[in-house]
Amino acid sequence: MPAGRFAGAAASHVVTRVDDARPGAIVTETRPRRPRIADVAQVAGVSKASVSFAFNNPERLRAETAERIRSVAAEMGYRPHPVARMLSARRTMTIGVLTPQPLSQVYANPFFSYFAEGVASVLEEGGFGLLMISPLRGSLARALDRATVDGVVALGLDETHPEIEAIRHADLPMVLVDAPAWPEHAAVEVDDEGGARAAAQHLVDLGHRRILVIAVEGPVAGEGPVAGPEGQHEGVMGRRLRGYEAVLGAAGIELGPDAVVVAPATFEGGEAAFLRAWEDGLRPTAVLAMSDAVAIGVLQSSRHLRLRVPRDLSIVGFDDLPVGRFSDPPLTTVHQPVRRKGEEAARLLLEELGGKAATPAPHRVLKTRLVVRRSTAVPPAAAGREEVERT
Amino acid sequence: MPAGRFAGAAASHVVTRVDDARPGAIVTETRPRRPRIADVAQVAGVSKASVSFAFNNPERLRAETAERIRSVAAEMGYRPHPVARMLSARRTMTIGVLTPQPLSQVYANPFFSYFAEGVASVLEEGGFGLLMISPLRGSLARALDRATVDGVVALGLDETHPEIEAIRHADLPMVLVDAPAWPEHAAVEVDDEGGARAAAQHLVDLGHRRILVIAVEGPVAGEGPVAGPEGQHEGVMGRRLRGYEAVLGAAGIELGPDAVVVAPATFEGGEAAFLRAWEDGLRPTAVLAMSDAVAIGVLQSSRHLRLRVPRDLSIVGFDDLPVGRFSDPPLTTVHQPVRRKGEEAARLLLEELGGKAATPAPHRVLKTRLVVRRSTAVPPAAAGREEVERT
DNA sequence: ACTGCCGACTAAACCGGTTCAGTAAACCGG
DNA sequence: CCGGTTTACTGAACCGGTTTAGTCGGCAGT
């Protein structure tokens, strides 16, 4: 009874799928598995193609048929499987935001929220989803390989990243933000050096000469060192440092080796860094912080130390996050369009995905500007004397 | 020449795929398309299965073979296609964080960063990716349908959400945070009412009687109204309001209709709300804000109004975000373990995915506690008189 | 009555992997 | 030298959709 055998095989096949009963399996309530397009097709008495059309190309079906299929589908609780759809459509309608740091670190810097806000607003408009890509079990390349995205916005991805080659290899449309530009990728950055210059010049103009620089590591900076192997500065923090140094140098101010410290880009990081510097005997009249979060932390620790800002200590931040407007005193800082950076990056990426890739890849540099609020003033009168004492 | 025809068909087939040349297409550089497992198999002279094993089950192959396959694959730049892998593995190794608000709003409240930090830290440990799910073209259900995730952490998803049925229907493992519990889903929340009571009691104990309450809408609150149809309060904000009212009522203080205002959960929202209330003639001696971000905004606007905090105005926040420690004065607030909320939610979800689902679904309520810092004090001496004047 | 065309629908290929069942060859003790 | 096990690998089914290239019946035109 060969026909019977085939029929039997087919039937058992169906049964296997319906309740997934394996010989040894514990018999649980036979929860109906998620209906597939084939199930809907069968119940509605049409082909899979028709069901697909009913959802995606209703005009190819008689209106009545399409409606019937849809109602059957609704009744069965059918929802097209998103992964299957992605596979066959060859696109995911999702883009990734890649960060070299673990997300738990990234989110600690408010900077990231505003950046993500910018990215998200453009993606939402374009109907794209947002996937966070950060190291998976220590490997960023692995995370990228697992990521189902059509493109990537990479934030602070330094060329010195150990997996840079693997990441390049992923060969996905990619826009780099705050990273050394690779010719093949579009990029968005800001005039970090110019902003840093303006900040330093502001302090010099006020008469400061003993200045503490606080660089940051982590979320904004990428993982690269502030100074490269040959002492030349790389990455965002390097450019900012170069800006500071150029202006200070021109004013005859040399930054000693302990006048540049590094801290995590968080409130706590800034607080701890300034306290440590103070305990080490440093007595700056002004602080150049490479992040507003750090600057707010310094503001806080200066209160612990009974330093009045700006009378005893001037503080300049970087980023111009909203929190800087709400501190007391409001923070003098270098404005960069954080949100717009995210928007621009997302827009460039969507353009590239839409086939409108410009060649060569666009490289956008957004402006920075100094925003003078109330955390800076002329140094205390005693400044000159103390400088002599220490020198 | 039937054999020839078949051979020809096969060949043209390959060609079609290699450069995807359509008759009308502009001839660009024939960029080799991404190699598939079949290409690797062919070059290495093995079957697709072997290539798959070389990556996922190397022990099933002779070491030498596995190595050869891997090196061929590396040379060709082969990376397994993540979507295909998901489809056949029937899991995505990704979980979604669902928010009823657009991401651009969500990120505006620093609360979310800390929550996401908690979720992300657990996911990273478990090797899961993180997808943000927020309304797509206005529809949260659509976004959820498109989302390739194994489970969802839903933040502030109110029962009154218009698409709640469709969302329920998605039938994904889901953990609800700060939402009315549905019996079938695990949930994490905090003792909002208790925290609110403590905050109100603190103000009552200090002697305040004219109190402004600022509720929030947006990221933390879900989209539901603060008060339900029958005047009973729903959701997080409802519970907090109930806590405030219980204590104030017991102290003989009635909250008039304009003594409860609503603002977005942002610095700016708080700033604007308090200014508006002031312009409306309200002269509270204390503010109960349902979010630290709002409280900081109030702090700022009180400076504009030349009100000294806490001497002229006391402010109590809610959440205990780091920013509250760094304000001047540091903020008295209700602590809730925001990060841990994220961690717990993620953990519960991963347990469920791991088949360790407890029944009934666990419902975790985390503690809140009042943290008294420097933004609260006894009301100004003039308080009693002014109250009489207004009444 | 024959051809051509149109509308409605379907069969089968395809997306790119994983995995189950099976096979051929090598190995092994008796 | 023989049955039985292992080892190393393969063919084909499968995951769940979309899309291409038809098929088929009916109707208009001649």
Side-chain angles (χ1 to χ4, degrees):
Chain A
M1 214 164 66
R5 239 185 84 213
F6 281 122
S12 88
H13 185 197
V14 169
V15 167
T16 299
R17 289 163 130 208
V18 165
D19 58 16
D20 201 69
R22 309 230 180 115
I26 296 156
V27 178
T28 57
E29 288 174 27
T30 312
R31 237 242 288 202
R33 74 163 197 319
R34 178 185 182 134
R36 297 162 303 162
I37 197 168
D39 301 324
V40 177
Q42 194 185 343
V43 172
V46 296
S47 70
K48 292 198 306 171
S50 294
V51 179
S52 180
F53 287 147
F55 283 90
N56 309 317
N57 279 66
E59 71 278 8
R60 290 197 48 173
L61 262 36
R62 222 173 41 206
E64 182 198 317
T65 313
E67 188 43 52
R68 181 168 50 84
I69 293 176
R70 271 195 299 259
S71 87
V72 167
E75 184 140 0
M76 298 176 70
Y78 169 75
R79 300 178 315 125
H81 194 299
V83 176
R85 202 203 273 264
M86 279 181 180
L87 181 60
S88 106
R90 256 155 309 180
R91 42 191 222 150
T92 63
M93 291 305 282
T94 304
I95 83 105
V97 168
L98 178 149
T99 58
Q101 302 82 25
L103 281 183
S104 45
Q105 261 181 53
V106 170
Y107 276 116
N109 185 353
F111 169 94
F112 183 73
S113 290
Y114 298 99
F115 178 77
E117 201 183 312
V119 172
S121 67
V122 171
L123 293 188
E124 272 164 0
E125 202 176 314
F128 280 74
L130 173 56
L131 180 74
M132 311 303 301
I133 305 176
S134 60
L136 205 56
R137 304 175 188 292
S139 165
L140 190 53
R142 194 204 320 269
L144 193 56
D145 280 351
R146 287 214 182 304
T148 53
V149 296
D150 294 335
V152 170
V153 171
L155 180 61
L157 181 58
D158 203 278
E159 261 175 332
T160 64
H161 192 284
E163 299 182 288
I164 198 70
E165 266 315 312
I167 291 166
R168 250 186 176 114
H169 225 80
D171 190 34
L172 276 166
M174 187 148 122
V175 175
L176 299 168
V177 179
D178 285 350
W182 308 344
E184 71 267 36
H185 291 298
V188 178
E189 55 180 320
V190 301
D191 179 15
D192 287 297
E193 188 169 342
R197 283 189 136 93
Q201 190 65 56
H202 174 59
L203 290 181
V204 167
D205 290 348
L206 287 170
H208 291 274
R209 303 194 60 83
R210 286 209 316 279
I211 296 174
L212 175 70
V213 170
I214 308 184
V216 307
E217 62 188 13
V220 187
E223 303 195 317
V226 170
E230 267 128 68
Q232 89 246 26
H233 306 306
E234 294 171 9
V236 171
M237 296 304 132
R239 289 202 297 277
R240 291 185 189 171
L241 187 54
R242 208 154 51 222
Y244 292 155
E245 283 174 336
V247 169
L248 297 182
I253 302 169
E254 207 61 46
L255 284 176
D258 54 354
V260 180
V261 303
V262 178
T266 61
F267 298 137
E268 291 81 357
E271 185 179 28
F274 187 72
L275 286 179
R276 213 179 313 118
W278 190 267
E279 280 163 16
D280 288 351
L282 270 60
R283 292 296 179 270
T285 63
V287 173
L288 284 168
M290 293 198 192
S291 133
D292 277 1
V294 163
I296 300 287
V298 173
L299 191 55
Q300 172 74 355
S301 52
S302 67
R303 277 195 286 267
H304 290 311
L305 296 170
R306 303 249 178 280
L307 296 172
R308 287 152 303 175
V309 174
R311 189 204 284 232
D312 302 322
L313 183 73
S314 287
I315 303 176
V316 185
F318 209 116
D319 290 346
D320 193 21
L321 304 184
V323 69
R325 289 204 315 112
F326 292 91
S327 64
D328 185 28
L331 193 64
T332 294
T333 191
V334 177
H335 174 84
Q336 65 160 323
V338 180
R339 226 195 104 108
R340 259 197 57 216
K341 230 152 78 167
E343 290 171 8
E344 287 291 336
R347 229 187 302 275
L348 287 175
L349 188 56
L350 293 194
E351 275 168 20
E352 186 174 341
L353 293 181
K356 293 171 207 141
T359 40
H363 185 161
R364 217 148 280 180
V365 180
L366 307 180
K367 290 212 174 93
T368 52
R369 69 170 193 278
L370 184 71
V371 177
V372 178
R373 296 209 182 92
R374 314 273 309 285
S375 67
T376 45
V378 295
R385 280 212 310 282
E386 287 183 25
E387 185 182 29
V388 174
E389 280 165 25
R390 276 200 94 218
T391 309
Chain B
M1 217 165 63
R5 238 183 87 213
F6 282 121
S12 88
H13 183 197
V14 169
V15 167
T16 299
R17 290 165 131 207
V18 164
D19 60 16
D20 201 69
R22 310 233 178 110
I26 295 155
V27 177
T28 58
E29 288 175 27
T30 313
R31 237 242 288 200
R33 77 163 197 318
R34 179 185 181 132
R36 300 160 303 162
I37 198 168
D39 302 324
V40 177
Q42 194 185 343
V43 172
V46 296
S47 69
K48 291 198 304 171
S50 294
V51 178
S52 180
F53 288 147
F55 282 90
N56 308 316
N57 280 64
E59 70 279 5
R60 291 196 48 174
L61 260 38
R62 222 172 42 204
E64 182 197 316
T65 313
E67 187 43 51
R68 182 168 51 84
I69 294 175
R70 271 194 300 257
S71 88
V72 167
E75 184 140 0
M76 298 176 70
Y78 168 75
R79 300 178 316 125
H81 194 300
V83 177
R85 204 204 272 266
M86 280 180 180
L87 180 60
S88 106
R90 257 155 308 180
R91 41 191 225 152
T92 63
M93 291 304 283
T94 303
I95 83 104
V97 169
L98 178 150
T99 58
Q101 303 81 25
L103 281 183
S104 45
Q105 263 181 50
V106 170
Y107 275 116
N109 185 352
F111 169 92
F112 183 73
S113 290
Y114 298 99
F115 178 77
E117 201 183 314
V119 173
S121 68
V122 171
L123 293 188
E124 273 164 359
E125 201 176 315
F128 279 75
L130 173 56
L131 180 75
M132 310 303 301
I133 306 176
S134 59
L136 206 56
R137 305 176 187 291
S139 164
L140 190 54
R142 195 205 318 271
L144 193 57
D145 281 350
R146 286 212 183 307
T148 53
V149 296
D150 294 334
V152 170
V153 170
L155 180 62
L157 180 58
D158 204 278
E159 260 175 335
T160 63
H161 191 284
E163 299 183 289
I164 198 70
E165 266 316 310
I167 291 167
R168 250 188 176 111
H169 225 81
D171 190 34
L172 277 165
M174 189 148 120
V175 174
L176 299 168
V177 180
D178 285 349
W182 308 344
E184 71 266 36
H185 291 299
V188 178
E189 55 180 320
V190 301
D191 179 15
D192 287 297
E193 188 170 342
R197 284 190 135 92
Q201 191 65 55
H202 174 60
L203 290 181
V204 167
D205 289 348
L206 287 170
H208 291 273
R209 301 195 60 81
R210 288 209 316 279
I211 296 173
L212 175 70
V213 170
I214 308 185
V216 306
E217 61 187 15
V220 188
E223 302 194 318
V226 170
E230 268 128 66
Q232 88 246 26
H233 306 307
E234 294 172 7
V236 171
M237 297 303 132
R239 288 201 298 276
R240 291 184 190 172
L241 187 55
R242 206 153 54 221
Y244 292 155
E245 282 175 336
V247 168
L248 298 181
I253 303 169
E254 206 60 47
L255 284 175
D258 53 355
V260 179
V261 303
V262 177
T266 61
F267 298 137
E268 291 81 358
E271 185 178 27
F274 187 72
L275 285 178
R276 212 179 314 117
W278 190 266
E279 281 163 14
D280 287 351
L282 269 60
R283 292 295 180 270
T285 62
V287 172
L288 284 169
M290 292 199 194
S291 132
D292 277 1
V294 164
I296 300 287
V298 172
L299 191 56
Q300 172 75 354
S301 52
S302 67
R303 277 194 286 266
H304 290 311
L305 297 170
R306 302 252 179 277
L307 296 173
R308 286 153 303 175
V309 174
R311 190 203 282 233
D312 302 322
L313 183 72
S314 287
I315 302 175
V316 185
F318 208 115
D319 289 345
D320 192 21
L321 303 184
V323 69
R325 288 204 317 112
F326 291 90
S327 64
D328 186 28
L331 193 63
T332 294
T333 190
V334 177
H335 174 84
Q336 65 160 321
V338 180
R339 226 195 105 107
R340 259 196 56 216
K341 230 151 79 165
E343 290 171 8
E344 287 290 336
R347 228 187 303 276
L348 286 175
L349 188 57
L350 294 194
E351 276 168 19
E352 186 173 341
L353 293 181
K356 293 172 207 139
T359 40
H363 185 161
R364 218 149 278 181
V365 181
L366 306 180
K367 291 210 173 94
T368 53
R369 69 169 194 279
L370 183 71
V371 178
V372 178
R373 298 208 182 91
R374 313 275 308 285
S375 67
T376 45
V378 294
R385 282 210 312 281
E386 287 182 23
E387 185 181 29
V388 173
E389 280 165 23
R390 276 200 92 218
T391 309

